[in-house]
Every structure is written in structure tokens, then in C-alpha cells.
Amino acid sequence: MKTTIERSALLKALNHVQSVVERRNTIPILSNVLLEADNGSLGLTATDLEIEMRERVEADVAQAGAITAPAHMLYDIVRKLPDGAQVELSTDETGGRLLLISGKSSFALQTLPREDFPAMAQDEMPVAFALLGGDLRRLIEKTRFAISQEETRYYLNGIYLHALEDDGQALLRAVATDGHRLARVQMAQPVGAADMPAIIVPRKTVNEVQKLLEEEAGEVSLQVSETKINFAFSNIVLTSKLIDGKFPDYTRVIPLNNDKVLAVDAKSFAQSVDRVSAISSEKSRAVKLSLEGGRLSLSVSNPDSGSASDELSVSYQSEAMDIGFNARYLMDITGQLDGESATFELADSGSPTIVRDGEDTNALYVLMPMRV
Amino acid sequence: MSGSAIKSAPMSEDKQPVICRDCGQINQLAIDPPVKRCPACKSPRLLKHDELLTLGIAHLDCDAFYAAVEKRDNPDLHDKPVIIGGGRRGVVSTCCYIARIYGVHSAMPMFQALAACPDAVVVPPNMEKYAQVGGDVRQMMQDLTPLVEPVSIDEAFMDLRGTHQLHGGPPAQTLVNLVKRIEQEIGISVSIGLSHNKFLAKLASDIDKPKGFSIIGEAETLSFLADLPVGRLWGVGKAMQARLERDGIRYVSQLQNMDESDLARRYDSLGLRLARLARGQDARAITPRAPNKSISSETTFNEDLTDYATMEKHLWRLSERTAQRCKKQKIAGKTIVLKLKADRFSALTRNHALPNATQLADVIFETSRQMLQQVMKDKPGTSYRLIGVGVANLVTAEGADPLDLADPDQQKRKAAEQAMDKLRHKFGDDTIKKGRGL
């Protein structure tokens, strides 16, 4: 194998694929990236056996071939090369080492044969549809903060993505919850998605896709089966296994009769929560909201450090009430709001509260109160 | 420390405080000729002591506790020798005073006990019930003072000093009333030892069991101890006794006559303790047990178990019991602890932290069940002799088991369990059970 590639293109691709590679691996080959040079391009593939990321970049290929080399080290080397440099990758005569030459710098890396690299089985993907990168990004961004870290309820460790029909509207909906808060974000159903199975996309996959979406605004093609999902960007294909579990019936925990409505200016509310919670401890970050008339008092009291309070003018017509929330959870939600105002639908201080993003009916959040 | 704590006997003029153990009345009565009956109720159960009104450290010990509870619950056993024990180990756990007449004593092998007393009724122990009764007794003690230090399920120390104002009488009177209350409301008898420190109080409670009430005052401390064999001293076991015997020391009086530093030189720190105990000095305070760090229930199987299904049944029962205790104490736990003992006595525990504190049997069971499955998967074929489940990381019950957005059925199960608890509360624990508990 012998190929020459522009440093920045190689760096970008390596940056993508090395992110899939775990820092610690008991199986040596999983630390490596598979390099495949042919037909005027270089293919880079990395996997952790759950996710496989393949990227193709243009390259001058003098001699086709393939080899695997340590992903993080290769990335580190290329990162430290000067901007605009050309990088030559080649294997030595015996094929045992990868030689990297750029200007006067040269490196020889240990390799493992390409035959050892575990390829992810290519299943049949019965459902395929495309959506705008921006739409997919919105689904992910607004829900992923609620993904649970709890290992025993593994089926909560991802975003529940499913197609449904609601009020005559065909929707593609993303839901995540950790039991304390729940995020439900939807969009008009892309053509071809109606028959997709309900799937749980694991957190790591969600994060990788999110990173790729930050660079690519164009269309993304999705292919879905019962066990795998495949995201195809222009040069990158990410295939991931899905979480094999049953997502809880979230519709039953979304309250329907919360009749006390509080409308706040989203930005000043978020700032106020942030302000008063400066005094709260890591352990119990409860912010107490006291509602009376058009006034909202926010207060935090921390026996170790003192107390804080703030006040906001709000729209609230129901009877006076106090309710407490975890400050971080509140800020996680307010951080997702795009509209100028946020609406809270409350029942009582012990029941779940709904938070809506201004006029946007496509995003809904449910938050459990805390005792204060 | 010297013997300065021991005062010389007060000059008993011609009268002495006397308490009636039936009506609780205290009188100053003539010593000579001795008054034989309570002036108020004519009861002969009079307790006379010069220091009756001043001593305040008590030791309460239930009489033949397990047997007494069984007799209480089954009047047919009342006049029969009863032995609590059996099971796999086959030793006498407790025997009633009738059985003791035949020479039966606790820790005796069962076959030997039955040889000595063939008519004995053997009752398998019901620890759950005893724990319940023991708890009731303790509660009555705690009603009088927070300074209750349990020693075991059926005995405890109490520090009643300074409660004269509060209870409207000296500790002796408070204790007489306590004994009556325990007899009337719980239906078992207890023995009391009253003295000026823990060591002597415990010795005193043993003096005239059952239904005893004995006092060791400061005045007679030395003379009381003098005649005791050294084995009665706290901390002197068989080995120490043999060692003392080799040195020719058999009675406490001998220790009393020895120099403290000499004893310390011979037997190190133990010697120092011997010197002090021999003189009736014991500075240990009565410290109520620290608040619970965890609540748990465990059971030892009659036969070692290897199959999951049977273990799971036990686990459910224990989960229910743990939950019940949490609910009773209005406590919830954030960590579930599974405990297992394998046949070779190796103990094993597994912890699982919950997102929310719980006091529900359902949650305790589901969580511990997963841990059990994992353990049994990791070590297949192991046989177990004990299983236990508990909650730790305790918090108050308020806010426990909140609605879980990721578990829509959780509130339903919670409501069902609470409904069952209500029924149990109203009609008794066995009113309703889940099918898996059968």
C-alpha cells in the first residue's frame, strides 16, 4: 500500500473514526484503524464492535493495499504535523509496519493485518429514509440530555426513536428519560419512515452522530432494521447496533390534566435558576419555586453555605403553590428552549410537571419535582 | 483509681426505705422488727434497701425469654416443661424454668435434654416473633429513658439516673412500674438488677431470677463480690479462669486483696480490669445504640440450597419483612444489599444503589433478585446456607419511591403494596399475601 493524502483531510477523517475507538481495549485490533487504499481514495474504518464508522477521503493511491494501525497514535501524529503538509502512508516490504512520511518527519508504526479487523455483519436494512441533518440534529440535541446513565435499566441508555401517527399527523419521534425527566421531541415523518421498527439508539452512537452533524448540514440517509441503524453522510457511514430492550410506555407518565399554567421569559428564567443555584451543593440541588399571582420567587437554601433568592414577573393565574426542582435538570431543559417564553404546566408539588418551548408543539419535557 | 467510690454503710438508724413490688409504694419502715407486708396493699413482696432511693443503673433481663413467649401464646404449655430448640443444629436454645428443674439448660444437645426430661415439649424457635416481643419490651424501656443499651434481644441496660422529677419517683419505683407494665401488657416476666454501674446491675439481675428484683448498693459492693468465683467477673472466660486458677485465684475476694499494679503486671490490661471489677468499679457508660445504618432481614436455610427458585421465595419473604420494618420506622433506603453465605461459611454481599430511596418490598425484591441471579450465574453450583436482604444509606420515608417517569407501572405497584399494608395493619400480617410468598 502506498498513498499520499493532504494532512487536513486525513486529520479530519481520523478525528471522526478515532472517536469510536475506546481508550482501553482488551482486544488489540480494536485499538486500530483499518486503512484501505484503492481507486483514488483512502478508506478509514474504526469499530468498538457496537459502532462501526467508515469514511472515505480522496487520496493519490500509488499502490492499493490495506493495513491496520493504532488509531489514537496515528491521529496524534497527524495532528502534530504542520498545516498543509502532504502525508505519505505506505507499508514496508514485509508489510509489518506502516510508514508515515511527511516532509522530513517519518514514523514507523506497528500494525496488525487487515484480515484480523472485525467487520460488522452487513444485515438487510428493510427501512430506509432520508432527513435533513438539521432536523436529525434537533431530535438528538433536545433529547439526549435526558438519557439515563443507570446501567441496570439499560433500555434507558439511549434515545427511543419511533414512527407514529398522532392526531392524524405522521410523526418521527425521539424520547429519552432517566426516570426523573423526560424529553419528547418530534418532527414530520420523513417519507419511507412509516414502517420503521421502534428502536433505541445507544448513547455513544447518539453522541457520535451528533458530532458528525455539527460538520454536515446536508441530507442524512438512515437505514433501519430491528437490530441495527445506519447513518449515511456524504463520505461517512456509521453503523450501530441498537439497544435490545423495551422502552417503557412513556405516554402514560405524561400528565394530561395539569391545569396550573406558568409562563416565563425563558432566558431570564434560566438565568435566575442558574444564579440562585450557585449556592446549592452538588448533592442536593433543589430550587424552590414559589408562585403567587404574577410573581415567581426562586430560592435555594443550603445548610452548608447559606441561602439565595430571586424574583421574576411571570404569568400565573392559579392558586399559590410551592414546588421544588433539581436545578441542573431545570437548566438542562431551559438550555434546550428556542422560543422566547417557556410554559410550565403544573398539578401539585409532588406530581410531574410539563415544560413546553414557547409556541413549539414539537418539543415537550416532563420533570419530576423534588422535595424542598 | 482507688476504692473511694465505695462509701461506708450509712448509719441505718431504725428505718429504711422499702418499696412494694406490687403497688409500688415507697415507705420508710422500721428495720427491727422487720415489716413483713406493705402497709398500703398488704403485699409481702417488699424490697428493702438503704440505697433504694438513690441507685439508678438498671439491667433488665427477660426470664426464659423464648419459652415465656411460647407459653404466653399457648396456655396449654403453661405447666409443661418447654424447650425451645431443635432444627438442624439440635441444641437447646432456651428452656423454661420447669424444664430447668430436670437439669435441662441452654446449649445442651437436644437428645441429652430429652433424656433428662422426656416429657418436655419441644417448640421450634420463631425468631421473628421473639424479635417482635423483644422490640416491644425495648420500646417500653425507651418510653422511660433514651439511655437504653440493648445487650441482646432480651436484655438491656438502662440509665435512670436523674429521672426522679420526670417520672415522679426514684428509679426503683419506675422499674417496679415497668416490670408490672411488661407483665400486664406483654405477658412475660423479667428480672431487674439495680446498682451503681453496669457490671453490678447485670450481676444483680441474675441473683433471684425469675421475677427477680435485686439491688447491689455501694455499701455492700465489696462484700457481695468477695464470695463470687472469679468466673462471674465480666470478661473472665474459661481460659482466663484456668489461668487464674493456676495462680491460685478462685474467688473475687482474693483479687480484692491484691494490688492493682501487681495484677496489671501479671495479666496486662486484663489484670487492671480484674482489679477494678473485683472492687465493683465499672466506668462504662450506658450508650444507646447508634441509629440504624441499615435495615435487613436474613434467614438460615434448614438445608443448604442450590436452586434459584427456592432462594427467590425466601428472598421475597425477606424483602417483605425488610420493607415492613422500613415502613414501621418511617425509613427508606437508597441502597439494596444482598447477603449470601455459602456452605463453607464464606459470606458475600452485593450492593446496588437506587436512583430513589425505597421502602417497598416490590423494589427491594426486584433489585435483590437481579443481584441474586447475577451471583448464581457467576458461581453456578454453589450451595448457600443463608440469604439476607436489606436497605442501607437510610433516609426518611418522605419522598421515597416517587413517581418514576421510566416506569409507568411503578405507582400502580406502590398503590397495591400500600393497600396490602393497610389491610395488614387492620386485620393482621397474615391477612393478605402475594402468591409468590406462598
Side-chain angles (χ1 to χ4, degrees):
Chain A
M1 182 186 92
K2 188 168 182 181
T3 177
T4 308
I5 182 171
E6 206 268 317
R7 180 242 179 204
S8 65
L10 180 60
L11 181 66
K12 195 175 157 197
L14 276 171
N15 182 26
H16 293 153
V17 298
Q18 62 87 30
S19 165
V20 171
V21 177
E22 293 288 340
R23 285 273 154 200
R24 269 161 234 248
N25 266 312
T26 46
I27 309 170
I29 191 79
L30 294 182
S31 299
N32 283 11
V33 54
L34 170 64
L35 303 168
E36 293 167 299
D38 58 12
N39 294 334
S41 72
L42 176 68
L44 301 97
T45 307
T47 182
D48 66 354
L49 297 180
E50 296 292 319
I51 303 173
E52 180 188 88
M53 181 133 39
R54 297 174 163 273
E55 181 155 358
R56 283 227 151 253
V57 284
E58 276 183 40
D60 288 333
V61 179
Q63 190 191 347
I67 195 80
T68 78
H72 293 305
M73 191 179 288
L74 195 56
Y75 171 64
D76 207 31
I77 292 169
V78 175
R79 198 166 55 84
K80 288 170 179 173
L81 293 176
D83 206 8
Q86 291 290 316
V87 183
E88 185 195 280
L89 295 168
S90 59
T91 46
D92 61 11
E93 294 79 36
T94 57
R97 282 168 181 245
L98 175 72
L99 303 175
L100 185 154
I101 298 167
S102 176
K104 298 212 180 294
S105 317
S106 71
F107 302 83
L109 300 178
Q110 301 270 7
T111 61
L112 288 168
R114 68 157 305 178
E115 291 74 29
D116 290 2
F117 195 83
M120 197 174 265
Q122 298 297 316
D123 303 5
E124 197 194 328
M125 298 290 217
V127 177
F129 57 92
L131 74 176
L132 284 175
D135 288 344
L136 179 60
R137 188 174 167 179
R138 184 169 163 278
L139 284 183
I140 291 177
E141 210 166 54
K142 288 181 181 295
T143 49
R144 69 172 175 157
F145 69 90
I147 295 175
S148 169
Q149 310 275 346
E150 196 188 333
E151 275 170 35
T152 41
R153 295 200 282 184
Y154 57 90
Y155 49 84
L156 301 178
N157 298 158
I159 292 178
Y160 181 53
L161 199 65
H162 58 304
L164 76 162
E165 187 85 25
D166 190 24
D167 246 359
Q169 274 184 291
L171 301 168
L172 177 65
R173 188 180 270 179
V175 181
T177 181
D178 63 1
H180 302 287
R181 59 251 173 90
L182 179 147
R184 192 198 79 184
V185 178
Q186 60 201 27
M187 59 179 279
Q189 200 176 82
V191 178
D195 294 331
M196 77 174 266
I199 56 172
I200 307 170
V201 185
R203 180 179 33 234
K204 186 173 173 186
T205 306
V206 164
N207 291 340
E208 292 303 327
V209 171
Q210 180 73 6
K211 270 190 241 166
L212 296 177
L213 285 168
E214 278 165 19
E215 293 170 18
E216 301 230 8
E219 215 174 46
V220 185
S221 302
L222 271 69
Q223 286 184 299
V224 182
S225 75
E226 294 277 352
T227 54
K228 279 187 192 142
I229 189 165
N230 184 318
F231 298 86
F233 301 83
S234 46
N235 294 324
I236 307 170
V237 177
L238 187 153
T239 310
S240 167
K241 292 184 184 166
L242 298 168
I243 293 178
D244 183 14
K246 191 177 179 310
F247 200 81
D249 180 4
Y250 65 90
T251 55
R252 282 162 54 206
V253 298
I254 298 176
L256 300 172
N257 303 312
N258 284 8
D259 53 355
K260 299 180 179 125
V261 180
L262 160 72
V264 298
D265 179 87
K267 203 170 169 194
S268 50
F269 178 78
Q271 286 170 343
S272 184
V273 172
D274 196 11
R275 218 159 21 232
V276 290
S277 59
I279 204 157
S280 68
S281 64
E282 269 311 311
K283 248 183 156 181
S284 70
R285 296 166 63 91
V287 178
K288 182 170 147 189
L289 311 188
S290 304
L291 282 158
E292 200 177 354
R295 226 177 52 218
L296 167 66
S297 314
L298 298 98
S299 58
V300 172
S301 123
N302 178 359
D304 295 330
S305 56
S307 64
S309 69
D310 203 354
E311 211 175 282
L312 289 175
S313 294
V314 296
S315 148
Y316 181 72
Q317 259 111 51
S318 307
E319 70 215 60
M321 74 176 290
D322 289 349
I323 189 165
F325 293 107
N326 180 308
R328 213 193 71 227
Y329 294 172
L330 262 185
M331 287 192 281
D332 279 346
I333 290 177
T334 53
Q336 304 308 324
L337 302 178
D338 298 325
E340 283 188 5
S341 71
T343 313
F344 288 74
E345 296 170 16
L346 309 131
D348 57 61
S349 64
S351 304
T353 296
I354 292 181
V355 185
R356 291 184 196 275
D357 186 356
E359 303 302 312
D360 183 1
T361 52
N362 283 328
L364 176 141
Y365 307 96
V366 184
L367 184 57
M368 275 307 293
M370 254 178 116
R371 275 177 5 89
V372 278
Chain B
M1 221 194 295
S2 78
S4 68
I6 299 159
K7 295 173 192 158
S8 57
M11 294 304 285
S12 56
E13 289 154 14
D14 43 359
K15 289 195 171 179
Q16 159 180 60
V18 177
I19 185 164
C20 171
R21 291 183 56 199
D22 280 321
C23 71
Q25 200 181 82
I26 296 175
N27 290 291
Q28 295 285 336
L29 298 177
I31 290 177
D32 199 26
V35 180
K36 291 219 169 101
R37 286 183 182 268
C38 169
C41 71
K42 308 296 176 211
S43 161
R45 298 179 71 216
L46 294 181
L47 184 63
K48 309 170 182 180
H49 199 278
D50 289 329
E51 297 169 42
L52 182 71
L53 305 182
T54 52
L55 297 171
I57 304 288
H59 179 254
L60 180 147
D61 195 2
C62 300
D63 302 327
F65 183 55
Y66 300 170
V69 173
E70 294 300 343
K71 286 197 177 199
R72 175 194 75 166
D73 294 345
N74 182 1
D76 288 348
L77 299 177
H78 193 79
D79 55 354
K80 297 197 175 71
V82 170
I83 295 175
I84 310 296
R88 217 164 71 109
R89 297 207 188 170
V91 292
V92 175
S93 167
T94 310
C95 57
C96 74
Y97 285 89
I98 303 173
R100 286 183 201 189
I101 296 170
Y102 294 90
V104 181
H105 57 81
S106 47
M108 190 183 236
M110 195 57 89
F111 71 91
Q112 209 175 331
L114 288 173
C117 180
D119 299 334
V121 181
V122 179
V123 182
N126 179 350
M127 292 313 295
E128 225 166 301
K129 183 161 77 175
Y130 309 147
Q132 169 97 44
V133 178
D136 291 346
V137 172
R138 190 157 306 149
Q139 187 55 52
M140 288 188 185
M141 298 169 79
Q142 274 156 353
D143 288 348
L144 301 171
T145 172
L147 295 179
V148 174
E149 180 181 324
V151 180
S152 68
I153 185 170
D154 64 343
E155 59 175 305
F157 290 104
M158 309 169 70
D159 186 347
L160 287 167
R161 290 175 301 181
T163 61
H164 197 121
Q165 283 282 338
L166 178 68
H167 298 307
Q173 194 172 36
T174 306
L175 289 165
V176 164
N177 292 333
L178 171 67
V179 171
K180 283 201 302 192
R181 189 175 168 210
I182 292 171
E183 281 175 9
Q184 284 161 8
E185 294 180 25
I186 297 178
I188 60 165
S189 72
V190 301
S191 292
I192 300 282
L194 179 62
S195 190
H196 52 94
N197 62 40
K198 283 165 78 171
F199 164 57
L200 292 167
K202 183 155 164 88
L203 280 181
S205 70
D206 205 34
I207 292 175
D208 78 319
K209 263 182 150 311
K211 285 195 170 199
F213 194 132
S214 305
I215 295 177
I216 300 174
E218 297 199 12
E220 71 269 22
T221 297
L222 279 179
S223 57
F224 171 83
L225 290 171
D227 298 336
L228 294 181
V230 288
R232 293 291 298 277
L233 295 180
W234 171 67
V236 178
K238 277 209 177 105
M240 188 63 196
Q241 213 173 327
R243 201 169 150 198
L244 290 167
E245 172 97 38
R246 268 202 308 276
D247 296 343
I249 302 171
R250 283 188 174 177
Y251 294 98
V252 177
S253 57
Q254 292 168 282
L255 290 171
Q256 285 174 351
N257 294 326
M258 291 174 78
D259 189 51
E260 190 175 291
S261 52
D262 185 31
L263 278 169
R265 219 169 298 130
R266 277 194 205 210
Y267 310 111
D268 305 325
S269 61
L270 199 62
L272 205 63
R273 193 169 76 194
L274 284 179
R276 290 180 184 165
L277 289 178
R279 292 173 176 82
Q281 297 164 10
D282 176 12
R284 288 173 299 156
I286 291 184
T287 40
R289 203 172 281 169
N292 280 339
K293 288 215 172 91
S294 67
I295 293 180
S296 60
S297 315
E298 58 182 50
T299 189
T300 306
F301 309 129
N302 286 330
E303 285 167 23
D304 291 354
L305 290 182
T306 48
D307 77 304
Y308 173 76
T310 322
M311 305 252 297
E312 187 187 69
K313 269 196 175 146
H314 282 284
L315 196 60
W316 167 249
R317 206 166 43 79
L318 296 169
S319 301
E320 267 199 314
R321 205 189 301 164
T322 301
Q324 217 162 34
R325 289 173 56 197
C326 287
K327 289 166 192 163
K328 205 168 184 180
Q329 298 180 37
K330 297 190 170 52
I331 278 176
K334 282 184 163 172
T335 303
I336 306 293
V337 183
L338 174 75
K339 178 176 165 189
L340 289 166
K341 263 188 193 166
D343 43 6
R344 271 158 293 168
F345 292 87
S346 54
L348 175 158
T349 57
R350 289 284 179 275
N351 295 298
H352 181 79
L354 297 169
N356 296 301
T358 189
Q359 53 168 208
L360 294 180
D362 179 67
V363 179
I364 297 170
F365 175 64
E366 283 303 330
T367 314
S368 55
R369 173 159 84 164
Q370 282 175 21
M371 291 190 273
L372 178 63
Q373 281 167 354
Q374 190 60 48
V375 169
M376 295 188 78
K377 206 173 90 186
D378 292 348
K379 297 178 180 174
T382 313
S383 59
Y384 295 95
R385 63 188 302 270
L386 174 147
I387 189 168
V389 66
V391 297
N393 212 338
L394 301 177
V395 294
T396 55
E398 289 173 63
D401 300 298
L403 191 146
D404 183 344
L405 294 175
D407 189 355
D409 291 325
Q410 174 249 22
Q411 289 297 302
K412 242 193 223 169
R413 294 195 303 268
K414 180 179 174 181
E417 190 166 326
Q418 283 168 344
M420 281 168 59
D421 289 338
K422 263 187 197 157
L423 282 175
R424 290 195 186 113
H425 184 68
K426 205 164 174 184
F427 302 113
D429 282 351
D430 294 331
T431 311
I432 181 162
K433 276 199 164 100
K434 279 218 184 191
R436 63 173 162 232
L438 297 174

